Amino acid sequence: MIPLGVLLGVPLRMHVAFPVMMAALLWHGQARALLMMLAALSLHEAGHALAARAAGQRFECIELMPFGGVARMDTTLALRPAEEICIALAGPFASLLFCLLTAAGKWTGYAAQDFLRSNLSLALINLLPALPLDGGRALRAALTARLGRAHATKLFVRVGVALGVLILALGVWAAAAGVVNPLLFLMGAYLAYAALKEKETLAAACVEALHGRAARLAREGMLPVRWLAVEKDAPPERLAARLTAGTYHLFVLVDGSLGRVGTMDEGEVLRQVLTKRIGPGM
């Protein structure tokens, strides 16, 4: 990551692929469009930062990526689903708001058109239901209680990879028709890569979940408890996949006749996941 400075008190970094996209736009004589896109992207990420601050959360950094950005929070899994949804959608909301302000205001000319298009593109692209886009983050939060965070993450990672491959295929089809658009190839490859990177963070997310709930317990004095009955030989990875935000989990281990043979708390589950142990650890 390339450090760029600070935005609303949050460190701002640039992914190494971002200069490639900038070079492609400059190569096509789109310097003004590039400046307007950078302005729109900064406002989009500022929307995330302000929403997180309103929820009492802090960003570790904001990373500028091709065709969007990723806001890395210190305690993502300490958030309630509604809070995570609001923070995820705050960026597209900010982009749409500036679209409306630009369209309704007195700012005219090519720069205004580029600024409006940049905001509209950021909003529409980021609302797609795929990770790491904002729409995917919001839907993952909405489905976490039902599927577990790990399963929800894997679902929207697959959607992100499929969308990236589809964009790459569109680039190939356009090139075969005589229209070569390097931005399609860059966007498709990046989206598939970024989606797969989201999957790699699941182990770290398990540890973050435990620390986040401990912080909430210290802050509020209590946590809701969720009991789940599981097979006594179920691998810990499957149990960890059922963890949801803001809830303390206890697992009842049962045999084939549904008789109780032991219990396990989420701390033991996470320890087993991180140490690659398979036993039930009763």
Side-chain angles (χ1 to χ4, degrees), residues 49-88:
L50 290 173
R53 184 174 296 179
Q57 301 298 318
R58 186 174 68 89
F59 282 138
E60 177 186 348
C61 68
I62 293 176
E63 299 173 358
L64 298 184
M65 307 287 191
F67 314 102
V70 175
R72 305 288 185 189
M73 275 192 295
D74 290 337
T75 55
T76 305
L77 295 187
L79 292 170
R80 295 179 177 88
E83 291 174 331
E84 189 173 359
I85 291 170
C86 288
I87 292 172

Coordinates of all heavy atoms in Angstrom, one line a residue, residues 49-88:
A49 N -16.5 7.0 6.7 CA -15.8 7.4 7.9 C -16.7 8.1 8.8 O -16.7 7.9 10.1 CB -14.6 8.3 7.5
L50 N -17.6 9.0 8.3 CA -18.5 9.7 9.2 C -19.6 8.8 9.8 O -19.9 9.0 11.0 CB -19.2 10.8 8.4 CG -18.3 12.0 7.9 CD1 -19.1 12.9 7.0 CD2 -17.8 12.8 9.2
A51 N -20.0 7.8 9.0 CA -21.0 6.9 9.6 C -20.4 6.0 10.7 O -21.0 5.7 11.7 CB -21.5 6.0 8.5
A52 N -19.1 5.6 10.5 CA -18.4 4.8 11.5 C -18.2 5.6 12.7 O -18.4 5.1 13.9 CB -17.1 4.3 10.9
R53 N -17.8 6.9 12.6 CA -17.6 7.8 13.7 C -18.9 8.0 14.5 O -19.0 8.0 15.7 CB -17.1 9.1 13.3 CG -16.7 10.0 14.4 CD -16.0 11.3 13.9 NE -14.7 11.0 13.3 CZ -13.9 11.9 12.7 NH1 -14.3 13.2 12.7 NH2 -12.8 11.5 12.2
A54 N -20.1 8.1 13.8 CA -21.4 8.2 14.4 C -21.7 7.0 15.2 O -22.4 7.1 16.2 CB -22.4 8.5 13.4
A55 N -21.2 5.8 14.8 CA -21.5 4.6 15.5 C -20.5 4.3 16.6 O -20.5 3.2 17.2 CB -21.5 3.4 14.5
G56 N -19.6 5.2 16.8 CA -18.6 5.0 17.8 C -17.4 4.1 17.4 O -16.7 3.6 18.3
Q57 N -17.3 3.9 16.1 CA -16.2 3.0 15.6 C -15.1 3.8 15.0 O -15.3 5.0 14.7 CB -16.8 2.0 14.6 CG -17.9 1.2 15.1 CD -17.5 0.3 16.3 OE1 -16.4 -0.3 16.3 NE2 -18.3 0.2 17.3
R58 N -14.0 3.2 14.8 CA -12.8 3.8 14.3 C -12.2 3.0 13.1 O -12.1 1.8 13.2 CB -11.7 4.0 15.4 CG -10.5 4.9 14.9 CD -9.6 5.1 16.1 NE -9.0 3.9 16.6 CZ -7.8 3.4 16.1 NH1 -7.2 4.1 15.1 NH2 -7.3 2.3 16.6
F59 N -11.8 3.7 12.0 CA -11.2 3.0 10.9 C -9.7 2.9 11.2 O -9.0 3.8 11.6 CB -11.4 3.8 9.6 CG -12.8 3.6 9.0 CD1 -13.5 4.6 8.5 CD2 -13.4 2.3 9.0 CE1 -14.7 4.4 7.9 CE2 -14.6 2.1 8.5 CZ -15.3 3.2 7.9
E60 N -9.2 1.7 10.8 CA -7.7 1.6 10.9 C -7.1 2.3 9.7 O -6.1 3.0 9.8 CB -7.4 0.1 10.8 CG -5.9 -0.2 10.7 CD -5.6 -1.7 10.5 OE1 -6.5 -2.5 10.6 OE2 -4.4 -2.0 10.2
C61 N -7.7 2.3 8.5 CA -7.2 3.0 7.4 C -8.3 2.9 6.3 O -9.2 2.1 6.4 CB -5.9 2.4 6.8 SG -6.1 0.8 6.1
I62 N -8.2 3.8 5.3 CA -9.0 3.7 4.1 C -8.0 3.4 2.9 O -7.1 4.1 2.7 CB -9.8 5.0 3.8 CG1 -10.8 5.2 4.9 CG2 -10.4 5.0 2.4 CD1 -11.6 6.5 4.8
E63 N -8.4 2.4 2.2 CA -7.5 2.0 1.0 C -8.2 2.3 -0.3 O -9.3 1.9 -0.5 CB -7.2 0.5 1.1 CG -6.5 0.1 2.4 CD -6.3 -1.4 2.5 OE1 -6.9 -2.2 1.6 OE2 -5.7 -1.9 3.5
L64 N -7.6 3.1 -1.1 CA -8.1 3.4 -2.4 C -7.8 2.3 -3.4 O -6.6 2.0 -3.6 CB -7.6 4.8 -2.9 CG -7.9 6.0 -2.0 CD1 -7.3 7.2 -2.7 CD2 -9.4 6.1 -1.8
M65 N -8.8 1.7 -4.0 CA -8.7 0.6 -4.9 C -9.2 1.1 -6.3 O -9.9 2.1 -6.4 CB -9.5 -0.6 -4.4 CG -9.2 -1.0 -3.0 SD -7.6 -1.8 -2.8 CE -7.8 -2.5 -1.2
P66 N -8.9 0.3 -7.3 CA -9.5 0.6 -8.6 C -11.0 0.6 -8.5 O -11.5 -0.4 -8.0 CB -8.9 -0.5 -9.5 CG -7.6 -0.9 -8.9 CD -7.9 -0.8 -7.4
F67 N -11.6 1.6 -8.9 CA -13.1 1.7 -9.0 C -13.8 1.7 -7.6 O -14.9 1.3 -7.5 CB -13.7 0.5 -9.9 CG -12.9 0.4 -11.1 CD1 -12.0 -0.7 -11.3 CD2 -13.1 1.2 -12.2 CE1 -11.3 -0.8 -12.4 CE2 -12.4 1.1 -13.4 CZ -11.5 0.0 -13.5
G68 N -13.0 2.1 -6.6 CA -13.7 2.2 -5.3 C -12.6 2.2 -4.2 O -11.4 2.5 -4.4
G69 N -13.1 2.0 -3.0 CA -12.2 2.0 -1.8 C -12.6 1.0 -0.8 O -13.8 0.5 -0.9
V70 N -11.8 0.7 0.1 CA -12.1 -0.3 1.2 C -11.7 0.4 2.5 O -10.6 0.8 2.7 CB -11.3 -1.6 1.1 CG1 -11.6 -2.5 2.3 CG2 -11.7 -2.3 -0.2
A71 N -12.7 0.5 3.4 CA -12.5 1.1 4.7 C -12.2 0.0 5.7 O -13.1 -0.9 6.0 CB -13.7 1.9 5.1
R72 N -11.0 -0.1 6.3 CA -10.7 -1.2 7.2 C -10.9 -0.7 8.6 O -10.3 0.3 9.1 CB -9.2 -1.5 7.0 CG -8.8 -1.9 5.6 CD -9.3 -3.2 5.2 NE -8.8 -3.6 3.9 CZ -9.2 -4.7 3.2 NH1 -10.1 -5.4 3.7 NH2 -8.7 -4.9 2.0
M73 N -11.9 -1.3 9.3 CA -12.2 -1.0 10.7 C -11.5 -1.9 11.6 O -11.2 -3.0 11.4 CB -13.7 -1.0 10.9 CG -14.5 0.2 10.5 SD -16.1 0.2 11.0 CE -16.8 -1.1 10.1
D74 N -11.2 -1.3 12.8 CA -10.5 -2.1 13.9 C -11.4 -3.2 14.4 O -10.9 -4.2 14.8 CB -10.1 -1.1 15.0 CG -9.0 -0.2 14.6 OD1 -8.2 -0.5 13.6 OD2 -8.8 0.9 15.2
T75 N -12.7 -2.9 14.5 CA -13.6 -3.8 15.3 C -14.8 -4.1 14.5 O -15.9 -3.9 14.9 CB -14.0 -3.3 16.6 OG1 -14.5 -2.0 16.4 CG2 -12.8 -3.2 17.5
T76 N -14.7 -4.6 13.2 CA -15.9 -4.8 12.4 C -16.9 -5.7 13.0 O -18.1 -5.5 13.0 CB -15.4 -5.4 11.0 OG1 -14.4 -4.6 10.5 CG2 -16.6 -5.6 10.1
L77 N -16.4 -6.8 13.6 CA -17.4 -7.8 14.2 C -18.0 -7.4 15.5 O -18.8 -8.1 16.1 CB -16.7 -9.2 14.3 CG -16.3 -9.8 12.9 CD1 -15.8 -11.2 13.1 CD2 -17.4 -9.8 11.9
A78 N -17.5 -6.3 16.1 CA -18.1 -5.8 17.3 C -19.4 -5.0 16.9 O -20.2 -4.7 17.8 CB -17.2 -4.9 18.1
L79 N -19.6 -4.7 15.7 CA -20.8 -4.0 15.2 C -22.0 -4.8 15.2 O -22.0 -6.0 14.9 CB -20.5 -3.5 13.8 CG -19.5 -2.4 13.6 CD1 -19.2 -2.2 12.1 CD2 -19.9 -1.1 14.3
R80 N -23.1 -4.2 15.6 CA -24.4 -4.8 15.3 C -24.7 -4.8 13.8 O -24.2 -4.0 13.1 CB -25.5 -4.1 16.0 CG -25.4 -4.1 17.6 CD -26.5 -3.3 18.2 NE -26.5 -3.4 19.6 CZ -25.8 -2.6 20.4 NH1 -25.1 -1.6 19.9 NH2 -25.9 -2.7 21.7
P81 N -25.4 -5.8 13.3 CA -25.7 -5.9 11.9 C -26.2 -4.5 11.3 O -25.8 -4.1 10.2 CB -26.7 -7.0 11.7 CG -26.4 -7.9 12.9 CD -26.0 -7.0 14.0
A82 N -27.2 -3.9 12.0 CA -27.7 -2.6 11.5 C -26.6 -1.6 11.4 O -26.7 -0.8 10.5 CB -28.8 -2.2 12.5
E83 N -25.7 -1.5 12.4 CA -24.6 -0.6 12.3 C -23.7 -0.8 11.1 O -23.3 0.1 10.4 CB -23.8 -0.6 13.6 CG -24.5 -0.1 14.8 CD -23.8 -0.3 16.1 OE1 -22.9 -1.2 16.2 OE2 -24.0 0.5 17.0
E84 N -23.4 -2.1 10.9 CA -22.5 -2.5 9.8 C -23.2 -2.1 8.4 O -22.6 -1.7 7.5 CB -22.2 -3.9 9.8 CG -21.1 -4.3 8.8 CD -20.6 -5.8 8.9 OE1 -21.1 -6.5 9.9 OE2 -19.8 -6.2 8.1
I85 N -24.5 -2.4 8.3 CA -25.2 -2.0 7.1 C -25.2 -0.5 6.9 O -25.0 -0.1 5.7 CB -26.7 -2.5 7.2 CG1 -26.7 -4.1 7.2 CG2 -27.5 -2.0 6.1 CD1 -28.1 -4.7 7.5
C86 N -25.5 0.3 7.9 CA -25.5 1.7 7.8 C -24.1 2.2 7.3 O -24.0 3.1 6.4 CB -25.9 2.4 9.1 SG -27.6 2.2 9.5
I87 N -23.0 1.7 7.9 CA -21.7 2.1 7.5 C -21.4 1.7 6.1 O -20.8 2.5 5.3 CB -20.6 1.6 8.5 CG1 -20.8 2.2 9.9 CG2 -19.2 1.8 8.0 CD1 -20.0 1.5 11.0
A88 N -21.8 0.5 5.7 CA -21.5 0.1 4.3 C -22.2 0.9 3.3 O -21.7 1.2 2.2 CB -21.9 -1.4 4.2

